Amino acid sequence: MAPPHVPDIHHRRRRWTQTVLPRRTAQACYFPANRGKNVNHLQTLTAICNLPTAPYREQLVVAWLLEWAKQRRIHVTRDGVGNVYLHYRRGKPFKRPLIIEAHMDHPGFVVKKQRRDGTIEAAFRGGVKPSLFEKARAKFFTDRWHPTRVLTVKPNKKSRFLDVTLAAVKEKLPPGTLGMWDLPDAVIENGLFKSRVCDDLGGVAAIVCLFEELLDQKIDGHVIGLCSRAEEVGFGGVLAACENKWLPKNAVIIGLETSKASDFAKQGNGAIIRVGDRTGLFSLGLTHFVTQAAASIADDDKHFKYQRALMSGGTCNTTAVTAYGFDATCLCVALGNYHNQHVKGDPGYGDAPKAGPGIASETIHTGDFLGMVGILVAVVQRFKTYTPGVDFLRERFHKLHRDEQVALFKTTPL
Ligand SMILES: [Zn+2]
């Protein structure tokens, strides 16, 4: 199987790693110290979730992934819109390549213009209620953070984004500079991971941790980690990949997400096999296969927890790829303060640092995250036995019928 078609964008890669992410910054701030053998997954999660990102401004995440892939000798390809494909191949190839997908963006600001007095005019891209912007603090990233605060916010009907003005900063911020909420770097307290962004850099981190496990345990398989762009503004990267046929036709896809926690999908109860989202339902056969992989871990480890639920908080990339005919399902972890929205009564309220009354760090449970990585490893280990569809269920029902039919036909209902 050939990797997805990739135009030559080498020049862009060089620019991103050398100019946008200074070497000193890359090494000193963003990489865990003990990467390599038996890398600490929570350090990887922390390093990746501390990266600045926004829709269409995923270049620092991309640069991190390229640097990591280089060090771990992972083959990387890109497509025409800059989605990142990480290729793991060892032993006999699977009949179908297994794609694990997560998105690299998160709702955030992008500078449109800086006025003479330093005031910032920015667009906010991604789903956050305008009322929650009140008295909120934000910060913009060049080679370091520049803190500021929101002055005004109003919807822009033409662009679907929000027009935001923010208090003056002294430094020059060129158009295109990305901004996020002024929240601290990630911390772990009582098993809760609190970060400016969990959605979906937590998913990207799970892909990296999966690859570390595959490398360290020398597991056979063919896995493609697809780190996609611009999900928060309409599934941009994944739709481009589907429309342009950049994904192998027979690929099987598992999307990784963080998804708003609820009473039936609580933080700390394990990773969630997501059977559907607000719009779609996912592949019955693949969802069952992933559930069985999770169950196999639980059989060996009585403390291992996982959940299975329809998470209707939003629509995700998995519905998009399902619509294009792919065999696909989703794994997620329950998210507190969904999209940084800090709303009384919602999961996560009061749990995390704030950037204003209505804005807080997102949270996920570290056990849920590690469980998601564990399930992915189990899926890859068993994947050579996977066949799409529900034949395996029909065979089981057929056997059930065969065993029971004599009794059934011989008895007469009262
Ligand atoms: Zn997401």
Side-chain angles (χ1 to χ4, degrees), residues 234-267:
F235 321 110
V238 155
L239 290 186
C242 290
E243 286 280 337
N244 293 293
K245 302 188 169 49
W246 289 329
L247 306 179
K249 238 206 221 139
N250 62 344
V252 173
I253 303 176
I254 299 176
L256 305 183
E257 265 292 1
T258 61
S259 188
K260 188 174 174 176
S262 65
D263 285 345
F264 58 85
K266 287 193 173 129
Q267 293 185 307

Side-chain angles (χ1 to χ4, degrees), residues 33-188:
N34 70 340
R35 66 187 182 279
K37 247 196 162 342
N38 298 317
V39 68
N40 181 325
H41 292 329
L42 294 181
Q43 282 190 359
T44 301
L45 174 69
T46 304
I48 292 179
C49 289
N50 280 344
L51 294 168
T53 189
Y56 307 138
R57 290 292 179 274
E58 301 90 351
Q59 64 269 30
L60 291 156
V61 183
V62 172
W64 194 101
L65 290 169
L66 297 182
E67 178 67 23
W68 168 79
K70 199 167 91 189
Q71 292 183 18
R72 301 297 270 143
R73 297 188 183 180
I74 301 277
H75 178 53
V76 183
T77 55
R78 309 288 301 279
D79 62 22
V81 297
N83 292 315
V84 178
Y85 300 81
L86 307 163
H87 298 264
Y88 176 86
R89 239 177 158 159
R90 192 186 162 86
K92 237 178 113 197
F94 293 148
K95 269 187 246 137
R96 296 167 189 81
L98 175 62
I99 296 182
I100 313 289
E101 183 272 340
H103 64 90
M104 299 185 284
D105 62 320
H106 181 76
F109 302 86
V110 177
V111 173
K112 289 204 288 198
K113 180 177 138 187
Q114 191 177 23
R115 294 180 196 154
R116 276 222 187 113
D117 65 358
T119 309
I120 303 158
E121 293 179 20
F124 188 89
R125 299 168 177 164
V128 176
K129 269 196 203 132
S131 60
L132 300 174
F133 282 61
E134 203 178 327
K135 293 188 182 147
R137 288 173 284 115
K139 54 184 178 181
F140 285 82
F141 189 83
T142 50
D143 57 347
R144 63 198 161 89
W145 291 111
H146 306 281
T148 175
R149 63 194 157 80
V150 171
L151 298 175
T152 65
V153 57
K154 65 169 198 285
N156 181 326
K157 281 185 190 124
K158 260 193 220 155
S159 71
R160 294 183 295 120
F161 304 136
L162 298 171
D163 284 335
V164 188
T165 57
L166 300 107
V169 297
K170 275 191 208 127
E171 299 80 3
K172 187 100 200 77
L173 303 179
T177 302
L178 78 85
M180 302 182 80
W181 298 113
D182 186 10
L183 291 161
D185 279 355
V187 289
I188 297 171

Side-chain angles (χ1 to χ4, degrees), residues 103 105 199-200 231-232 256-258 316 339:
H103 64 90
D105 62 320
D199 174 17
D200 189 25
E231 188 268 357
E232 300 289 359
L256 305 183
E257 265 292 1
T258 61
C316 69
H339 282 184

Side-chain angles (χ1 to χ4, degrees), residues 113-350:
K113 180 177 138 187
Q114 191 177 23
R115 294 180 196 154
R116 276 222 187 113
D117 65 358
T119 309
I120 303 158
E121 293 179 20
F124 188 89
R125 299 168 177 164
V128 176
K129 269 196 203 132
S131 60
L132 300 174
F133 282 61
E134 203 178 327
K135 293 188 182 147
R137 288 173 284 115
K139 54 184 178 181
F140 285 82
F141 189 83
T142 50
D143 57 347
R144 63 198 161 89
W145 291 111
H146 306 281
T148 175
R149 63 194 157 80
V150 171
L151 298 175
T152 65
V153 57
K154 65 169 198 285
N156 181 326
K157 281 185 190 124
K158 260 193 220 155
S159 71
R160 294 183 295 120
F161 304 136
L162 298 171
D163 284 335
V164 188
T165 57
L166 300 107
V169 297
K170 275 191 208 127
E171 299 80 3
K172 187 100 200 77
L173 303 179
T177 302
L178 78 85
M180 302 182 80
W181 298 113
D182 186 10
L183 291 161
D185 279 355
V187 289
I188 297 171
E189 284 165 352
N190 300 325
L192 207 57
F193 177 78
K194 308 170 182 185
S195 176
R196 274 188 299 278
V197 38
C198 294
D199 174 17
D200 189 25
L201 294 186
V204 173
I207 291 178
V208 170
C209 295
L210 166 68
F211 272 55
E212 292 284 0
E213 290 289 341
L214 298 177
L215 289 164
D216 281 357
Q217 298 186 43
K218 299 186 169 59
I219 295 169
D220 280 357
H222 180 197
V223 182
I224 300 170
L226 164 52
C227 301
S228 63
R229 295 187 56 212
E231 188 268 357
E232 300 289 359
V233 287
F235 321 110
V238 155
L239 290 186
C242 290
E243 286 280 337
N244 293 293
K245 302 188 169 49
W246 289 329
L247 306 179
K249 238 206 221 139
N250 62 344
V252 173
I253 303 176
I254 299 176
L256 305 183
E257 265 292 1
T258 61
S259 188
K260 188 174 174 176
S262 65
D263 285 345
F264 58 85
K266 287 193 173 129
Q267 293 185 307
N269 283 359
I272 301 154
I273 295 145
R274 186 180 192 175
V275 303
D277 62 15
R278 183 186 284 175
T279 308
L281 288 172
F282 308 145
S283 157
L284 198 162
L286 184 63
T287 307
H288 183 79
F289 184 82
V290 174
T291 308
Q292 286 200 312
S296 74
I297 306 175
D299 285 345
D300 294 339
D301 176 359
K302 294 293 166 233
H303 301 292
F304 185 80
K305 289 191 272 190
Y306 67 95
Q307 318 180 57
R308 191 172 175 280
L310 192 151
M311 307 294 278
S312 56
T315 303
C316 69
N317 272 334
T318 307
T319 286
V321 295
T322 300
Y324 282 83
F326 285 97
D327 189 24
T329 195
C330 185
L331 260 176
C332 67
V333 289
L335 181 68
N337 300 327
Y338 166 71
H339 282 184
N340 304 106
Q341 298 175 109
H342 189 242
V343 178
K344 202 166 185 177
D346 274 5
Y349 185 81

